[in-house]
Amino acid sequence: MVHVLSSRILLRPVDPERSRGFYGEALGLPVYREFGTGPERGTVYFLGGGFLEVSGRAAEPPVPGLELWLQVADVQAAHEELSARGVEVLRPPVREPWGLVEMWIRDPDGHRIVVVEVPADHPLRHRP
């Protein structure tokens, strides 16, 4: 069995500065560490229990499929804050049939991000 000590998602954006602006400024993710120099330097952001590394550069937009799941305490407050910062909201907060409140946004390269609130009455908050 593999004993995982840490993990992170690696993004290779088309425009690294634009993506750093999105994740660091628009979303307000705190920086864990930075490395390298120049426009393709790496920036690693805290993602709750994990990390998001934005580094390098892609020659063309990524293939669709990668989606990020970010849990927040109050998705309506996140909606208001991100909308005010100019983040593209694909869908405002909606309580889903499975009980989570979800809002969908998109990063500059088209990666879909679901911002999720787990309500107090949701089974994820209760242990049997």
Side-chain angles (χ1 to χ4, degrees):
M1 180 169 156
V2 175
H3 181 74
V4 179
L5 299 176
S6 180
S7 65
R8 67 177 65 167
I9 297 165
L10 304 176
L11 288 184
R12 303 290 185 249
V14 172
D15 182 341
E17 285 300 322
R18 180 181 69 182
S19 290
R20 272 191 283 280
F22 176 80
Y23 287 102
E25 295 167 25
L27 290 190
L29 297 179
V31 173
Y32 169 65
R33 69 180 291 253
E34 294 182 293
F35 57 92
T37 59
E40 296 174 30
R41 70 190 181 282
T43 305
V44 181
Y45 298 96
F46 282 104
L47 274 185
F51 300 98
L52 172 70
E53 177 180 319
V54 176
S55 62
R57 180 184 301 268
E60 53 192 64
V63 177
L66 172 71
E67 295 179 346
L68 300 176
W69 192 92
L70 305 177
Q71 182 180 345
V72 298
D74 183 340
V75 74
Q76 188 59 46
H79 177 256
E80 293 167 11
E81 183 177 335
L82 295 175
S83 294
R85 292 182 185 174
V87 171
E88 180 183 6
V89 176
L90 300 175
R91 194 192 76 189
V94 172
R95 185 159 187 153
E96 300 291 355
W98 47 89
L100 299 176
V101 182
E102 298 183 359
M103 168 181 69
W104 286 86
I105 61 176
R106 182 179 5 234
D107 87 352
D109 283 323
H111 294 293
R112 289 169 36 102
I113 301 168
V114 59
V115 182
V116 177
E117 177 183 334
V118 180
D121 63 343
H122 193 276
L124 285 175
R125 294 217 185 223
H126 303 280
R127 295 183 189 209

